[in-house]
Every structure is written in C-alpha cells, then in structure tokens.
Amino acid sequence: MKTIEPARLAGKSTEYADMLLLRFGEFTLKGKNRSRFEKTMLRHVKEIVKPYPMARLIKEYGRIYVELNGEPAGEMVEALAKVFGISSISPVKAVKPELEEIVEASLRFIEKVNPEPGTTFKVNARRVWKDFPHGSQEMNRLVSAPLLKTFPALSVDVRTPMLELRVEVREQYAYIFCENIPAVGGFPLGTNGKAMLLLSGGIDSPVAAWSSMRRGLEVECVHFFSYPYTSREARQKVIDLARVLSRYAGRIRLHLVPFTEVQTSFAGIGQDNLMITLMRRAMLRITTKLAEREGALALVTGESLGQVASQTLPSMNVIGRATDLPLLRPLVMMDKADIVELAKQIGTYDLSILPYEDCCTLFMPKSPTTNPNLRIIEKIEATLPGYAERLAEAVEAAVTVDITPYGNESPDDEADLISSAKEDWF
Ligand code: ATP
Ligand code: MG
C-alpha cells in the first residue's frame, strides 16, 4: 500500500489551516488516570504556546484544539510534536457548518496539497451534529464530487487511499483536515513518578533521560565531577545538556556531586582493573541517598548491554547490586547507531561529542574487568577506611541547580552552596 508520507505533505496543509488538532497517545487507555493525564497535557501545551500570544486553546474530551489566530502553524507544529503524550497533529480548517463552505474549504485544502497525478483519495465525513441536513454517507459524495471534477490527478479508493480528507461536522464548526503529522507520543510529563538519572557528558545518558521523560517520568539529574581533574568546560557541557533536556520538561533539577575524594580512595588498592566497577557502585550508592532525600523511586542510567567493559552482564550484575532501588536502563537493548540517531533528534548529540574529559575516562584502567567478582568487590569496600563517611560527605557537598530552557543558571549563582564545593573551580 502506498500512502503519502507525512514528510511530503508536512507544511502543505498547515498553510491553509487555522487550527491545530492535537490527539493524545496511548495513555487515553488508562481509564481512571485519564483526567489527571489530560490536565498535565494541557498545562504542558499551554507552556509551549506561551510565546504565541494570539493562540487559544480549546479542550475537548480526548483532544486539544489550538486556534492559531494568525500565529505560525508550521513553527507551532514543530514545537508541539515534541510534547510528550501527543500522538499526532492535524492542521485543521474550521468553517461554518454549511455545505457550500465545507466544499469550498475542501477545494482550497486539496489545492494546497497539490496532489500528483495518480493520487488515490477518499472523503471521510462524520456528522456529529445531528441537525445538519446531510448524513455522513451523503456528505462523502457531496464533497468528493466537486473535488474529482476540479482535480484530475485524483481518483477514488475507499479502502486504502493515499490521501484521506476528513470532514467533521459539529454544531459550532465543521472541521476539515487531511494530514496526520506524527508526534512523539508517550505519557504526559511526570505522570508516572520521579527517578534520579545519572547524567554523564556522553551520548547515552541524555538519551536515557529523554526516553524516561517520554514514559512520563520526572527525572532529576545527578552528575559526578572530579575537581581538579575534570575541567570547567566539562561541567558546563553537562549544564548545557541539562538545558536541552529542560526544553522537554520545562525545568530540570541537576545535582553536581564532587567525586574526587571517593575516587582517590580507590587509587591505593592496587586493583586498577576493578576501578570502574567500584566507581559505578559508589555513584549508585550516592544517587540512592539523593533519591531518598528527593523522594525518587528509581535510578536511571544510559547503560546499553555489551557496549563497554562495565556494561557486560556480569558487570551490570555486580554494579546493580549497589542499590536497592529499581535500576532502569532504557537503552539496554538498543544499538549504538539508533541511540546516536535519537541523540541527534533530541538535540543533545553535538554537545555530547565535545571532547571534555569525564571523571571516569580519567581514571580508566588499561584493562577494566568484564567479569567482576561481587564478593571481592564487597570486601574491598568493607575494608576501605572511612568509606561510608566519604560517600555521605559527597551527598552533603552536592550542589543543586534548577535549569530552565532559556535561563543561564549555573552553580555560580548559588553563592551559599559554592562554599561546600571547591571555591577555585566554581
Ligand atoms: P554515556 O554516553 O551516558 O556516558 P557510556 O556508554 O559512555 O554512557 P559509561 O561512561 O560507562 O557509558 O557510563 C555508563 C552510565 O553511567 C552512563 O550512561 C551514566 O548513566 C552513568 N555515568 C557515567 N559517568 C557518569 C558521571 N560522571 N556522572 C553521572 N553519571 C555517570
Ligand atoms: Mg560515558
């Protein structure tokens, strides 16, 4: 079956539209949560349309209409297609519920779409307002006849048309549209609880963050840095990544955790190959404490099975046992190429590939173990002097910043928190 790809249509029908119809995704199935989800969606959509003062929102059961009132449809479609919970968007023409108006608007719509010769189509009319004098079937004929006459490129195929012109006749307006632009889908923001995400400066963890948010999780990010081994640029890169993520969330809370003391405590053990395992477990322990403090119920990482030594199944097993909280790994079965593709779409890729050192790359041993032994690791941790205190100190010394899409927040603004970190670095 050949249908007209949304990419080829996109933009064409927006030119003529004066409304956008936003459809919700799979969460509409969840009966009793529905109204809460829809309220969250409406709030998020309101936030997105704020920069367009003429736009007006109309909430209906299971959908939202955006009245454009002259605001740019194409630009708004692009922004709204990123809102979690919206499954598709149709640019809609709204006219008076009168036959001539409907036919006229349909002609104009198809003219904008400018179908190529051989395009099959059908009209799919629905009479919702029962006092309208023509029934749904009759409307299909009444609208398609003049279209066929005007556009020789069109022929009818009622079963699998390439182009479907939808007409919905309601009491106030008749809505006409022919395009279903796919949007991001998922669940509305924060409707599935809160988790702590371990955000490195790499490619994967920002994608894991986005994937979590798409499932309705609110995420707070936790980043470990190793002053003076990691640079100011490396820290800025993480802040910038959190800022890109905040475009999807409105605001992202970022905890910056000083990690040098913890890392150096492993240096004297003489077991370089276990370094990464020990560091990852320490990160999970600290993040678990932060999760308890912040009321989060899970941890999220950007791990993907087999990607590096610390992401073999035996490594994941030993690392994962450092926390009692559910450890979510949204990318665990994904291929790197697909993760990279997503990172590009989300807008984090270009930042992620900036070359600044991460705290783990610096301490990276020549041959990290792919098969750590849990008992040995636990023994090392139990015999490290003052280890528990160092972990607790790292939690205490964490600096928290709330990042917004258009702000320029940085820890520099948090004067009273700076003293708890390293002054000359911040
Ligand atoms: P990424 O691209 O997300 O860095 P990666 O494939 O490079 O992932 P690792 O560097 O081994 O893999 O890290 C695995 C996971 O551990 C990361 O996805 C991230 O969730 C977490 N992590 C690693 N380094 C840090 C850090 N400095 N701060 C916070 N979390 C980190
Ligand atoms: Mg990394």
Side-chain angles (χ1 to χ4, degrees):
M1 180 182 72
K2 195 176 158 218
T3 54
I4 295 186
E5 286 168 35
R8 269 180 53 210
L9 266 185
K12 289 183 178 170
S13 81
T14 48
E15 279 175 36
Y16 186 53
D18 47 19
M19 272 182 146
L20 301 175
L21 160 58
L22 315 180
R23 287 185 202 80
F24 303 155
E26 56 189 289
F27 70 87
T28 49
L29 301 172
K30 299 184 94 181
K32 68 176 194 290
N33 282 329
R34 184 184 176 124
S35 88
R36 180 169 63 93
F37 282 14
E38 290 196 4
K39 268 190 205 133
T40 311
M41 289 250 33
L42 189 63
R43 219 180 310 127
H44 195 176
V45 170
K46 260 188 198 153
E47 204 52 43
I48 299 293
V49 303
K50 235 187 212 161
Y52 306 96
M54 299 309 289
R56 214 168 61 86
L57 301 183
I58 304 166
K59 170 85 193 63
E60 259 183 31
Y61 187 74
R63 47 173 69 171
I64 296 173
Y65 290 98
V66 184
E67 258 185 24
L68 294 168
N69 298 321
E71 298 289 3
E75 210 178 291
M76 293 183 75
V77 166
E78 209 172 295
L80 289 163
K82 294 184 181 137
V83 172
F84 300 123
I86 295 180
S87 62
S88 69
I89 302 175
S90 291
V92 173
K93 182 73 190 169
V95 296
K96 276 196 222 134
E98 288 167 13
L99 182 61
E100 302 83 83
E101 297 259 350
I102 293 170
V103 170
E104 175 60 24
S106 302
L107 286 165
R108 295 285 304 277
F109 233 131
I110 300 296
E111 188 185 324
K112 287 285 172 203
V113 171
N114 189 19
E116 285 175 12
T119 300
T120 57
F121 101 119
K122 83 166 177 187
V123 174
N124 182 353
R126 231 178 96 218
R127 179 176 61 170
V128 180
W129 176 43
K130 295 300 172 205
D131 288 345
F132 186 71
H134 311 284
S136 302
Q137 289 300 331
E138 193 188 348
M139 279 301 281
N140 286 343
R141 282 193 303 276
L142 289 170
V143 177
S144 54
L147 288 176
L148 286 165
K149 217 165 120 195
T150 314
F151 301 99
L154 295 178
S155 60
V156 173
D157 178 350
V158 288
R159 294 187 58 200
T160 53
M162 289 153 73
L163 184 63
E164 185 174 342
L165 185 81
R166 307 270 301 270
V167 179
E168 256 183 46
V169 187
R170 293 174 183 260
E171 189 168 355
Q172 298 277 322
Y173 291 105
Y175 298 113
I176 300 160
F177 54 95
C178 63
E179 203 177 352
N180 242 344
I181 301 167
V184 64
F187 288 83
L189 260 181
T191 48
N192 283 330
K194 181 158 81 177
M196 305 303 274
L197 172 110
L198 287 93
L199 182 69
S200 72
I203 294 170
D204 304 326
S205 43
V207 176
W210 179 86
S211 306
S212 308
M213 295 192 293
R214 185 171 173 273
R215 294 313 289 177
L217 271 182
E218 178 190 348
V219 299
E220 288 191 17
C221 296
V222 181
H223 176 69
F224 295 87
F225 66 89
S226 302
Y227 170 86
Y229 304 106
T230 52
S231 62
R232 211 187 159 81
E233 285 85 356
R235 183 203 60 167
Q236 189 58 42
K237 173 177 164 178
V238 170
I239 291 170
D240 292 343
L241 281 170
R243 201 174 307 287
V244 174
L245 294 172
S246 76
R247 286 186 210 148
Y248 298 94
R251 189 200 72 174
I252 289 279
R253 177 160 287 180
L254 171 65
H255 305 276
L256 294 157
V257 183
F259 202 49
T260 320
E261 301 288 318
V262 174
Q263 271 178 310
T264 46
S265 65
F266 301 135
I269 305 168
Q271 296 249 36
D272 276 3
N273 59 331
L274 301 183
M275 198 72 169
I276 298 283
T277 315
L278 289 163
M279 283 190 322
R280 288 279 181 272
R281 282 171 59 91
M283 285 182 180
L284 290 187
R285 290 212 173 149
I286 292 167
T287 309
T288 303
K289 290 203 169 78
L290 287 169
E292 280 159 11
R293 196 181 79 188
E294 303 289 320
L297 294 181
L299 311 187
V300 187
T301 72
E303 290 167 301
S304 175
L305 189 60
Q307 218 186 67
V308 289
S310 59
Q311 295 172 27
T312 60
L313 199 54
S315 284
M316 281 193 186
N317 175 31
V318 171
I319 292 168
R321 280 166 196 264
T323 184
D324 286 334
L325 288 177
L327 183 53
L328 309 179
R329 300 171 167 113
L331 314 183
V332 72
M333 302 302 179
M334 276 178 79
D335 293 341
K336 190 74 185 187
D338 295 334
I339 298 172
V340 164
E341 187 47 44
L342 259 181
K344 286 179 181 166
Q345 283 175 27
I346 298 163
T348 51
Y349 182 76
D350 290 340
L351 285 168
S352 290
I353 58 173
L354 293 173
Y356 312 116
E357 296 291 356
D358 181 52
C359 64
C360 301
T361 9
L362 285 165
F363 285 78
M364 187 64 131
K366 278 201 193 68
S367 55
T369 179
T370 55
N371 187 15
N373 180 309
L374 181 61
R375 252 168 302 159
I376 294 175
I377 293 283
E378 281 176 344
K379 204 165 153 204
I380 293 172
E381 287 170 349
T383 51
L384 275 176
Y387 185 51
E389 289 74 34
R390 283 196 186 186
L391 296 181
E393 278 161 22
V395 174
E396 279 303 303
V399 176
T400 302
V401 207
D402 283 338
I403 311 265
T404 54
Y406 307 105
N408 61 347
E409 309 85 353
S410 83
D412 297 335
D413 307 326
E414 316 274 308
D416 51 342
L417 291 165
I418 295 171
S419 56
S420 62
K422 303 281 182 181
E423 286 88 345
D424 49 344
W425 191 65
F426 280 109

